[in-house]
């Protein structure tokens, strides 16, 4: 009876890569990679000396995968994960927060209103198991990426979210929800100057009735209508249905957050805004 041929990892490199591709997974935790290895080692007919630890070293040495971590840690542990060469930062983000959706600056990218960022991604999700909103992602113990997670309010989880795989691999906020989020958290949207520029670019595409519908449901606790109206008016042009926002002006003045001490006042919209920042 003939003995079945045994192999070392380097002898079946092509087979390993093909099986990884067929697995249709771009990101693996250590446990997930171990499961993949366990399910395939019999098929590969490996020598008994070829172990899972050697498998990891083989993949890294041959640049089949890269080692990423949320912690500045030189050791492979539960905070480590392995990514294929064609992975994107969004793939990494959604592997860890699969129920989230692209928002703020990352949503603006989808509409072409800002330059795409290769080093950061913004998503809204339920991150109750994490203490911080911002995560630094390390490769070879060096910071290369930033992932910012904005805590999701349960009542807002599906307001204005586009979940259509034929349009986008990952869900993202629609235009009106994105603009609302950018006003609430301009620091996650490129800053006030970027938000102002976005309103100038988007002014003829905005559905003001939809914005009002969203804001009413989201129960935002400051007079956001006044700032939206101000930004649209400041952008110029004939804005359709802007009179619906005028009816929403409150009795109170609104001070724009994250601004300098020098402000100018817009009496029509009752908004104090930065004098030089816009």
């Amino acid at each position: 009876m003939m003995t079945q041929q045994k192999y070392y990892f380097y002898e079946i490199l092509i087979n390993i890569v093909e099986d990884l591709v067929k697995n249709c997974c771009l990101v693996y935790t250590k446990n997930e990679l171990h499961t993949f290895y366990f399910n395939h080692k019999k098929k590969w007919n490996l020598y008994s000396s070829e172990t899972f630890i050697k498998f990891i070293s083989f993949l890294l040495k041959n640049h089949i995968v890269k080692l990423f971590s949320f912690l500045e840690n030189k050791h492979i542990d539960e905070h480590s994960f392995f990514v294929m060469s064609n992975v994107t930062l969004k793939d990494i983000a959604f592997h860890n927060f699969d129920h989230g959706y692209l928002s703020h600056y990352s949503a603006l990218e989808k509409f072409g209103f800002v330059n795409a960022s290769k080093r950061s991604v913004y998503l809204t999700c339920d991150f109750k198991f994490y203490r911080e909103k911002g995560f630094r992602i390390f490769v070879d113990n060096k910071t290369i990426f930033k992932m910012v997670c904005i805590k999701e309010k349960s009542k807002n989880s599906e307001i204005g979210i586009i979940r259509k795989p034929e349009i986008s691999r990952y869900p993202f906020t629609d235009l009106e929800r994105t603009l609302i989020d950018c006003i609430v958290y301009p620091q996650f949207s490129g800053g006030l100057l970027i938000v102002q520029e976005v309103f100038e670019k988007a002014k003829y595409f905005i559905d003001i009735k939809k914005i009002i519908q969203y804001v009413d449901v989201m129960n935002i606790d400051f007079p956001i209508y006044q700032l939206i109206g101000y930004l649209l008016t400041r952008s110029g042009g004939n804005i359709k249905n802007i009179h619906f926002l005028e009816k929403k002006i409150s009795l109170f003045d609104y001070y724009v957050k994250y601004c300098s001490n020098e402000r100018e006042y817009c009496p029509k919209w009752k908004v104090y805004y930065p004098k030089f920042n816009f």
Side-chain angles (χ1 to χ4, degrees), residues 113 175-176 179 198-207 232 235-240:
F113 292 142
L175 177 59
E176 289 73 23
L179 295 177
V198 166
F199 268 84
E200 291 178 356
K201 295 174 181 178
K203 60 187 176 184
Y204 294 124
F205 307 100
I206 299 170
D207 185 335
L232 289 173
S235 67
N238 183 22
I239 310 300
K240 184 180 179 181

Side-chain angles (χ1 to χ4, degrees), residues 9 22 85 96 136 168 173 191 203 216 225 233 262 278:
F9 289 128
K22 289 177 184 178
S85 58
N96 291 277
R136 293 180 298 169
S168 173
T173 51
K203 60 187 176 184
D216 286 347
Y225 294 120
T233 301
E262 294 189 77
F278 279 154

Side-chain angles (χ1 to χ4, degrees), residues 87-138:
V87 77
T88 68
L89 185 53
K90 293 181 178 65
D91 295 323
I92 297 172
F94 278 91
H95 187 79
N96 291 277
F97 303 97
D98 57 342
H99 296 298
Y101 47 87
L102 297 173
S103 61
H104 300 80
Y105 193 92
S106 293
L108 292 176
E109 292 177 9
K110 300 290 291 184
F111 295 104
F113 292 142
V114 294
N115 295 326
S117 173
K118 297 180 180 180
R119 300 178 67 88
S120 61
V121 63
Y122 295 80
L123 66 156
T124 298
C125 57
D126 180 1
F127 62 102
K128 59 184 177 182
F129 298 110
Y130 295 83
R131 294 183 178 179
E132 300 179 2
K133 292 181 180 178
F135 300 91
R136 293 180 298 169
I137 300 176
F138 296 88

